[in-house]
Amino acid sequence: HLRGLMLGVSLSAIILAPLAIAISLYLITHPKFLHLLENENEFGFMLIVLITVVLVTSGIWLVTGLQQFRSLSSWNKRYSNYLKKRNDLDELISSEYKIDEE
């Protein structure tokens, strides 16, 4: 259950963070953005601060989501290997001691 939750969080970071970055970059590069900054002093400053916060937070979120996804992927491989080795060992022990024949 926890693995599924963590996978969902990392996938949301991988999908939503680039979307937030793209929207912020679109706003910054829009031709009327500079006009807005020139005409609206306080609002323009707060808009720049807000977009900067969104870009930084989204970047951190994206990097964290990618790291978490890689970590979950490697953990899943190690867990699958553990289960396979455990089943192989169980079969070896049961065949050696003839446990299944009872």
Side-chain angles (χ1 to χ4, degrees):
H1 178 70
L2 181 61
R3 184 176 86 67
L5 179 67
M6 298 302 282
L7 185 62
V9 169
S10 66
L11 287 177
S12 72
I14 292 171
I15 294 169
L16 295 176
L19 182 64
I21 291 171
I23 291 171
S24 297
L25 291 176
Y26 172 76
L27 288 175
I28 291 172
T29 58
H30 195 274
K32 294 190 178 189
F33 184 74
L34 291 176
H35 178 68
L36 178 71
L37 292 179
E38 290 173 357
N39 291 340
E40 304 293 333
N41 293 334
E42 251 181 66
F43 178 73
F45 176 73
M46 289 307 292
L47 186 61
I48 288 290
V49 169
L50 180 64
I51 289 177
T52 303
V53 168
V54 167
L55 285 171
V56 169
T57 305
S58 297
I60 292 170
W61 189 23
L62 179 61
V63 169
T64 304
L66 288 171
Q67 288 175 342
Q68 184 177 353
F69 186 77
R70 286 186 196 137
S71 175
L72 284 172
S73 178
S74 69
W75 180 86
N76 194 28
K77 288 177 188 175
R78 289 192 318 257
Y79 185 70
S80 296
N81 286 338
Y82 160 75
L83 288 178
K84 185 179 181 305
K85 287 179 183 179
R86 187 185 75 177
N87 288 338
D88 291 345
L89 188 58
D90 284 346
E91 289 176 11
L92 177 68
I93 290 171
S94 62
S95 68
E96 185 174 326
Y97 294 103
K98 298 177 179 44
I99 293 174
D100 289 337
E101 294 179 2
E102 294 177 4

